[in-house]
Amino acid sequence: MNTDPGRVLAALDGAAGREEMLAAAVYRVSAHLHRDAVARVRRQLVALDAARYGDGGLAARITAVPVEGEPAARWGVDWATGGRVTRQLRPTFTAHTDTVRAVATAVVDGRPVAVTGSRDKSVRVWDLATGQQIGEPMSGHTDEVLAVATGVVGGRPVAVTGSRDGTVRVWDLTTGQPVGEPLAGHTRRVCTVATAVVNGRPIAVTGGLDETVRIWDLATGQEVGEPLTGHTGGVYAVATVVVNGRPVAVTGGDETVRVWDLATGQQVGAPLTGHTGLVLAVTTAVVDGRPVAVTGSADRMVRVWDLTTGQPVGEPLTGHTNTVWAVATTMVNSRPVAVTGSGDRTVRVWDLTTGRQIGEPLPGHTDTVWTVATTVMDGRPVAVTGSGSGSGSGNKSVRVVWDLATGEQVGKPLPGHTGWVWAVATGAVDGRPIAVTGSHDRTVRVWDLTTGQPVGEPLAGHTDWVLTVATGAVDGRPVAVTGSRDKSVRVWDLATGQQIGEPLTGHTSAVCAVATTVVGGRPVAVTGSVDETVRVWDLATGQQTGEPLTGHTGRTGAVATTVVGGRSVAVTGSEDGTVRVWNLATGQPVGEPLTGHTGGVRAVATTVVGGRSVAVTGSVDETVRVWDLTTGQPIGEPLTGHTGTVWAVAIGVVDDRPVVVTGSDETVRVWDLAIGQQITPFLPFPSPVVAVSVAPGGELLVGFGWELACLSPR
């Protein structure tokens, strides 16, 4: 943990034997975070990643490693799910400040590199062996960089980039300097770039939203001939290849694929039709000695075309559940393969000879995969993928390098959810402590808290994201109560895994908060919704109790229950920035709303401290606040430290002290509730933390990205 991360990564490629390969895989999972982290943070991340690979012993040994100038680790990782880890992962690199929209590969000074273009307007070069950025970002474009290709001009490696600013730029990859003036001609954004050699001269082929394809002489910087026209919409994809001895360009856009003779500028044959959505990705390969094009589309399909005959090859390749934004090809074990990236956040590999998917989708990305490129490192085929949000919100993106030839999996990762873990609660079944989670994948899962093993099959029934979970008891049986974006509330028997009764319906929008309690001797659930209401449900009858509780003027995304002055109450937090207290027996508000947060309230928990009922709230304003529910007044100053929305708050007891556990950004923080101070350094995680819970034994349950982890105090 005290060694420079770059030196560690450089040594990993020599790993041999199962234990060494496991250690290498563990270190690589979050290597992109190690570079800018102090040793204490690296220790926590590597221990967590060892647990994600199913090696609790290795996680414990890493946690015990001393870090110079730091106290011993306060928390150990008992277990974590590993649905998003794979030995195929190589160094991941991050430095762009926004989504990566384009990637290409090249060799510079004998080193394999990736060249990336981003919504942040910059072009960057990366050493694929170390994951380190080479030189400074190349800047000049005045809008997002949408396309990158590489080539050789005058014996020097270059990158050619296209931008939303309508220009094409050429960069010397050895010096990082622009070559000549920008290539201007497109009248709207440049969406795609490819390179080729025609009559011994290096050229670039570009496509734009102006519906044209243009050819540029890279030695002179001049446009060659007239624009190629025929597409009836934007040209989003281009690739080059040689067919029957002639260089051609293959372009995609308006649901069609077109082939152009680069020497004459004429279209070759009729458009290739079959896609039912925009063609957004094109690449080429040779299969059984014949040149083919591989295309990806908004119709979620990948198609293969024989460029000699213009006919489709076999059936479409299906599996992606969202738009296919990126396609690249390479050879794996002497067989031609395609690598595709999609809006479904997965990367898939396809055998082009058989038309079948190879293995499972490659996990790791948590956003749309916009771009894919392939190269060879140390004799092994690799894919480089880029992802990020499509919203232009400045969300950080991820660039991942995958070893496509890796054989068997190392470690024994626990299976996990296949979507974000939005909620976690704890309980017990037959004396066994359990955790219950709700996910973006529409399922509810039950986990043995001691072993981390799933208990039974996922609980299925919701038809949209499961956003909230609480546990309780009905007629002496342990139950989970879940709320979903499908507007329903469901009750599950945790002993049998069966749904109890019909869904509870009444909310007119997503149910994003739930808590349980007992009112008048009857078990109830209290739910909050995007519809701005709070509803109370009798869990024994499945009926709504009374009228909806109204007053909030924004999404009610947080609910907790407690007792104040002998009365059962609900405490709710809303996007309107207020916290409200409700008498559950009468359905009336108790006192005035609690105000102080300057952003929406996303999380609420309750407890009793020193005989006083208190609520703890987390907000978009990045603060945690503690409230005296008897007086309605804040207790002390806001708890600060998080650098993003506080998505999750839980309360428990650790070492006989009442604590608050909060989740935000990519950290968990633990606070002493009695004194209002953070009591341990923050706990880092490789993905945003949106769910936390504290088990009766003091274990922390943390939902981060698609994974769940259990940590115990040491």
Side-chain angles (χ1 to χ4, degrees):
M1 299 307 106
N2 300 296
T3 303
D4 175 68
R7 293 174 58 191
V8 176
L9 281 173
L12 295 182
D13 287 338
R18 293 191 63 81
E19 289 190 3
E20 287 186 11
M21 289 190 292
L22 173 60
V26 165
Y27 196 86
R28 283 173 174 149
V29 174
S30 301
H32 59 294
L33 302 176
H34 297 171
R35 298 185 193 99
D36 300 322
V38 298
R40 175 188 65 79
V41 170
R42 291 200 297 272
R43 177 178 62 188
Q44 170 69 21
L45 288 171
V46 177
L48 177 63
D49 289 334
R52 292 170 74 192
Y53 268 96
D55 196 328
L58 179 59
R61 293 194 297 275
I62 292 169
T63 300
V65 171
V67 171
E68 185 177 350
E70 294 281 356
R74 181 68 179 81
W75 297 89
V77 186
D78 292 344
W79 54 266
T81 60
R84 303 294 284 173
V85 299
T86 172
R87 182 185 162 198
Q88 291 174 281
L89 183 66
R90 292 177 70 95
T92 298
F93 36 99
T94 56
H96 282 294
T97 58
D98 210 329
T99 298
V100 170
R101 294 301 303 267
V103 63
T105 57
V107 175
V108 178
D109 296 331
R111 295 183 298 180
V113 303
V115 186
T116 54
S118 168
R119 183 173 273 129
D120 68 12
K121 308 176 187 178
S122 75
V123 179
R124 298 175 191 249
V125 184
W126 311 85
D127 186 316
L128 286 176
T130 66
Q132 297 293 321
Q133 184 174 315
I134 299 173
E136 295 300 311
M138 295 182 282
S139 57
H141 283 298
T142 58
D143 209 328
E144 61 186 292
V145 181
L146 298 171
V148 176
T150 58
V152 176
V153 177
R156 299 180 69 84
V158 300
V160 186
T161 56
S163 167
R164 191 184 181 106
D165 65 15
T167 69
V168 178
R169 292 179 182 253
V170 185
W171 312 86
D172 186 314
L173 291 176
T174 302
T175 65
Q177 297 300 306
V179 178
E181 295 298 311
L183 312 183
H186 283 291
T187 58
R188 298 182 70 183
R189 73 182 70 170
V190 180
C191 303
T192 182
V193 175
T195 59
V197 175
V198 177
N199 297 326
R201 299 187 66 83
I203 65 163
V205 186
T206 58
L209 208 58
D210 61 7
E211 304 182 4
T212 69
V213 178
R214 295 174 187 257
I215 304 172
W216 310 86
D217 186 315
L218 292 177
T220 65
Q222 298 300 305
E223 187 171 344
V224 178
E226 295 298 311
L228 313 184
T229 58
H231 282 292
T232 57
V235 180
Y236 297 104
V238 63
T240 59
V241 70
V242 175
V243 178
N244 296 328
R246 300 186 66 83
V248 303
V250 186
T251 57
D254 50 9
E255 301 186 1
T256 70
V257 178
R258 296 172 187 254
V259 184
W260 311 85
D261 186 313
L262 290 174
T264 66
Q266 297 300 306
Q267 185 172 317
V268 179
L272 313 184
T273 59
H275 281 297
T276 57
L278 293 176
V279 179
L280 299 167
V282 173
T283 191
T284 58
V286 175
V287 178
D288 294 331
R290 300 180 69 85
V292 301
V294 186
T295 55
S297 168
D299 65 13
R300 309 179 183 182
M301 294 183 183
V302 178
R303 291 180 178 258
V304 184
W305 312 85
D306 186 317
L307 291 175
T308 303
T309 65
Q311 296 301 306
V313 178
E315 295 298 311
L317 313 183
T318 59
H320 282 298
T321 59
N322 206 316
T323 297
V324 180
W325 287 102
V327 178
T329 56
T330 189
M331 298 292 289
V332 176
N333 299 325
S334 301
R335 297 181 70 85
V337 304
V339 185
T340 55
S342 167
D344 64 14
R345 307 177 180 183
T346 69
V347 176
R348 296 173 189 254
V349 185
W350 311 84
D351 186 316
L352 290 176
T353 303
T354 65
R356 296 183 179 278
Q357 185 174 315
I358 300 173
E360 295 298 312
L362 303 181
H365 285 295
T366 57
D367 249 314
T368 295
V369 181
W370 296 103
T371 182
V372 175
T374 56
T375 189
V376 175
M377 293 175 59
D378 302 323
R380 302 178 69 85
V382 300
V384 186
T385 56
S387 77
S389 165
S391 64
S393 61
N395 292 343
K396 287 186 178 179
S397 55
V398 177
R399 278 68 70 199
V400 178
V401 185
W402 308 94
D403 186 329
L404 296 176
T406 299
E408 62 181 307
Q409 172 73 45
V410 295
K412 297 180 180 179
L414 291 173
H417 281 290
T418 58
W420 280 72
V421 177
W422 293 118
V424 60
T426 59
V429 175
D430 297 330
R432 292 183 304 170
I434 61 165
V436 186
T437 52
S439 168
H440 188 102
D441 66 12
R442 306 181 181 183
T443 69
V444 179
R445 289 180 179 252
V446 184
W447 311 87
D448 186 307
L449 198 57
T450 303
T451 67
Q453 294 292 326
V455 178
E457 296 298 312
L459 312 184
H462 283 296
T463 58
D464 211 327
W465 306 349
V466 181
L467 299 172
T468 182
V469 175
T471 55
V474 176
D475 296 329
R477 299 182 66 81
V479 301
V481 185
T482 56
S484 167
R485 203 166 75 157
D486 66 11
K487 308 176 188 178
S488 76
V489 179
R490 295 175 188 255
V491 185
W492 311 87
D493 186 317
L494 290 174
T496 66
Q498 298 299 306
Q499 184 174 316
I500 300 174
E502 296 298 311
L504 314 184
T505 58
H507 283 295
T508 59
S509 193
V511 180
C512 42
V514 64
T516 59
T517 189
V518 175
V519 177
R522 299 186 68 81
V524 302
V526 186
T527 55
S529 168
V530 174
D531 67 13
E532 304 181 1
T533 70
V534 178
R535 295 174 188 254
V536 184
W537 311 85
D538 186 314
L539 292 177
T541 65
Q543 298 299 306
Q544 184 174 318
T545 302
E547 295 298 311
L549 313 184
T550 58
H552 283 299
T553 57
R555 175 179 64 186
T556 306
V559 174
T561 58
T562 189
V563 175
V564 178
R567 298 177 295 181
S568 293
V569 302
V571 184
T572 57
S574 167
E575 208 63 22
D576 64 16
T578 69
V579 179
R580 293 177 182 254
V581 184
W582 310 85
N583 185 322
L584 290 175
T586 65
Q588 296 301 306
V590 178
E592 295 298 311
L594 314 184
T595 58
H597 281 297
T598 58
V601 179
R602 295 290 176 85
V604 174
T606 58
T607 191
V608 176
V609 178
R612 294 186 298 179
S613 295
V614 302
V616 184
T617 54
S619 169
V620 173
D621 66 13
E622 304 179 2
T623 70
V624 178
R625 295 177 184 253
V626 185
W627 310 86
D628 185 319
L629 291 176
T630 301
T631 65
Q633 297 300 306
I635 299 174
E637 295 298 311
L639 311 183
T640 59
H642 284 299
T643 58
T645 295
V646 181
W647 291 100
V649 173
I651 295 175
V653 176
V654 176
D655 295 339
D656 299 323
R657 301 160 73 182
V659 300
V660 176
V661 180
T662 54
S664 170
D665 37 67
E666 292 168 343
T667 69
V668 167
R669 296 172 189 260
V670 182
W671 315 79
D672 187 316
L673 190 52
I675 62 175
Q677 298 292 318
Q678 188 173 322
I679 57 175
T680 61
F682 71 82
L683 298 171
F685 288 82
S687 301
V689 175
V690 295
V692 297
S693 184
V694 183
E699 300 93 343
L700 304 186
L701 280 301
V702 181
F704 60 102
W706 294 30
E707 310 285 24
L708 178 69
C710 178
L711 289 73
S712 290
R714 295 180 71 244

